């Protein structure tokens, strides 16, 4: 594993489980120039990649989820840059990679931090940020403009896996924490693979190790709170997956799933992400947001003692709160699996 001091991972999955099903609402136009310009894809009633609000109908829970996604993405920018440069090397020498990669999809892009990293790593490529959240796509556009990348990063709103292929053919697809929010993960990978040109690469960042940020004994409540929170999140993920449209159980062996999608596994790498104690304020604020969402989402999965302990950790005025305590840290790991399309697909 590669430790990266003060860097991070993926947007759009601050708790390890996305928000619940999104209500139907109006749609905004896609904003990508090129194929399907002006398409208005239908909305999947189940949860999807990243977070799920649009500016036309913001709900408080969705606004909070988007805020958490952007906080996490900002913290994880270093990891995304490291991963993008690693993928650059998978295409061979620098000149070959530059020539080979001209069009990239960032699926489940959130606020566009990964899109920025991909644009930096592949300077001749155009990056299409794809997400279902119009609000986060607007942030991705703003970020691109702020960094002088408006001409190289465009956005496209899409909901269903089968829509991703309509942005193809592409040379590289990056997707972080997307498949877990889709009922049929194998079908989602097949759809993504169908957008690749021969020789193109699909990179899937899914799971790894959940974030750790508290010692075993924090001096309040019962020792082992972090482990119980992790267990409650896993139970919640399982329950939510069972309710997804078309939910299909698969062994989450990602190289095998990628091979079943018609691709040849090209390499897997795990990135260790670390912010040691004492934490800077932006990381503390992210942990505060994370704990607030955990408390709201887990509900009765926590017993009374643990709920009261989390409430104490959220107390912004108490020295035991996560905004102040000196023993808080941030440590997680993200695993990226890659696979290549080595021959033209039969339908081509």
């Amino acid at each position: 594993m590669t430790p990266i001091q003060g860097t991070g991972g993926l947007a759009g999955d601050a708790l390890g489980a996305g928000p619940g099903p999104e209500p139907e609402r109006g749609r905004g136009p896609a904003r990508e120039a090129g194929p399907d310009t002006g398409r208005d894809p239908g909305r999947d009633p189940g949860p999807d990649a990243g977070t799920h609000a649009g500016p036309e109908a913001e709900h408080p829970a969705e606004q909070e989820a988007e805020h958490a996604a952007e906080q996490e993405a900002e913290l994880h920018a270093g990891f995304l840059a490291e991963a993008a440069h690693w993928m650059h090397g998978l295409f061979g020498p620098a000149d070959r990679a530059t020539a080979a990669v001209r069009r990239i999809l960032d699926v489940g892009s959130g606020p566009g931090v990964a899109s920025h990293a991909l644009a930096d790593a592949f300077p001749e490529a155009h990056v299409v940020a794809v997400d279902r959240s119009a609000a986060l796509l607007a942030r991705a556009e703003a970020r691109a403009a702020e960094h002088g990348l408006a001409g190289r990063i465009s956005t496209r709103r899409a909901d269903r896996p089968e829509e991703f292929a309509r942005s193809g053919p592409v040379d590289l697809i990056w997707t972080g924490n997307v498949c877990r929010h889709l009922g049929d993960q194998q079908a989602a990978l097949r759809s993504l693979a169908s957008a690749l040109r021969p020789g193109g690469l699909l990179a899937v960042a899914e799971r790894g190790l959940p974030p750790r940020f508290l010692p075993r004994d924090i001096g309040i409540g019962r020792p082992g709170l972090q482990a119980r929170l992790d267990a409650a999140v896993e139970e919640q993920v399982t329950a939510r997956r069972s309710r997804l449209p078309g939910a299909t159980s698969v062994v989450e062996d990602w190289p095998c799933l990628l091979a079943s999608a018609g691709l040849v596994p090209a390499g897997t790498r795990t990135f260790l992400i670390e912010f040691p104690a004492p934490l800077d304020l932006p990381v503390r604020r992210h942990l505060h947001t994370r704990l607030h969402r955990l408390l709201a989402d887990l509900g009765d999965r926590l017993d009374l003692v643990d709920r009261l302990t989390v409430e104490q950790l959220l107390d912004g005025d108490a020295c035991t709160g996560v905004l102040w305590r000196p023993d808080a840290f941030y440590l997680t790991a993200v695993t990226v699996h890659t696979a290549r399309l080595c021959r033209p697909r039969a339908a081509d």
Side-chain angles (χ1 to χ4, degrees):
M1 293 190 295
T2 301
I4 307 172
Q5 186 75 22
T7 62
L10 306 170
D13 201 43
L15 298 183
E22 180 187 21
E24 190 76 16
R25 65 173 66 92
R27 299 169 174 80
R31 289 187 292 272
E32 179 200 355
D36 293 331
T37 298
R39 283 192 62 88
D40 191 13
R43 180 166 298 281
D44 187 337
D48 200 344
T51 51
H52 314 321
E56 60 273 69
E58 289 285 356
H59 298 275
E62 292 166 347
Q63 289 178 316
E64 184 179 12
E66 289 177 349
H67 178 61
E70 187 152 17
Q71 277 186 328
E72 187 176 54
E74 294 286 357
L75 296 181
H76 294 177
F79 151 69
L80 293 167
E82 182 81 2
H85 284 282
W86 171 64
M87 289 185 290
H88 186 281
L90 295 179
F91 283 92
D95 56 344
R96 186 188 305 171
T98 298
V101 180
R102 296 305 180 103
R103 187 170 171 82
I104 299 172
L105 290 188
D106 175 12
V107 176
S109 63
V113 180
S115 299
H116 183 185
L118 291 163
D120 281 345
F122 297 92
E124 299 302 318
H126 182 85
V127 181
V128 182
V130 182
D131 204 284
R132 70 180 301 177
S133 167
L136 286 175
L137 288 176
R139 287 294 303 128
E141 291 176 346
R143 178 184 295 276
E146 289 166 7
H147 292 89
L149 295 170
R152 295 187 49 223
I153 296 176
S154 59
T155 62
R156 183 172 186 270
R157 192 173 179 185
D159 293 314
R160 299 186 177 97
E162 58 267 23
E163 296 174 43
F164 304 154
R166 295 172 186 164
S167 293
V170 296
D171 305 297
L172 171 62
I173 301 174
W174 166 268
T175 174
N177 294 337
V178 170
C179 290
R180 73 179 72 174
H181 299 304
L182 301 172
D184 191 336
Q185 298 181 93
Q186 183 68 78
L189 291 177
R190 291 194 186 101
S191 179
L192 290 167
S194 71
L196 290 172
R197 288 192 178 99
L201 194 73
L202 171 59
V204 178
E206 287 286 344
R207 309 307 293 265
L209 295 176
R212 313 290 295 182
F213 49 91
L214 293 171
R216 186 189 68 86
D217 191 337
I218 61 174
I220 55 176
R222 292 182 293 135
L225 174 67
Q226 179 89 74
R228 292 191 296 278
L229 291 176
D230 289 346
V233 166
E234 286 303 318
E235 290 178 2
Q236 184 189 57
V237 170
T238 300
R240 282 179 168 169
R241 278 208 52 79
S242 70
R243 297 193 299 268
L244 290 173
T248 303
S249 178
V250 295
V251 176
E252 292 180 349
D253 177 346
W254 293 102
C256 182
L257 292 171
L258 289 164
S260 296
L263 305 177
V264 177
T268 294
R269 182 170 170 182
T270 297
F271 298 83
L272 184 67
I273 302 154
E274 181 182 16
F275 290 85
L279 291 175
D280 291 336
L281 185 57
V283 190
R284 292 182 181 275
R285 284 175 173 160
H286 173 62
L287 292 180
H288 190 273
T289 301
R290 180 183 180 85
L291 281 168
H292 185 268
R293 291 190 65 206
L294 278 168
L295 187 62
D297 282 5
L298 296 179
D300 293 339
R301 295 185 188 276
L302 300 180
D303 63 24
L304 178 59
V305 173
D306 284 348
R307 287 200 300 272
L308 291 175
T309 303
V310 174
E311 288 177 1
Q312 287 182 267
L313 288 167
L314 289 171
D315 188 341
D317 295 324
C319 62
T320 54
V322 75
L323 291 177
W324 297 101
R325 55 185 309 128
D327 57 356
F329 59 94
Y330 186 87
L331 180 67
T332 189
V334 178
T335 301
V336 181
H337 307 273
T338 66
R340 193 181 307 277
L341 178 62
C342 289
R343 55 181 173 77
R345 306 189 68 85
D348 290 349

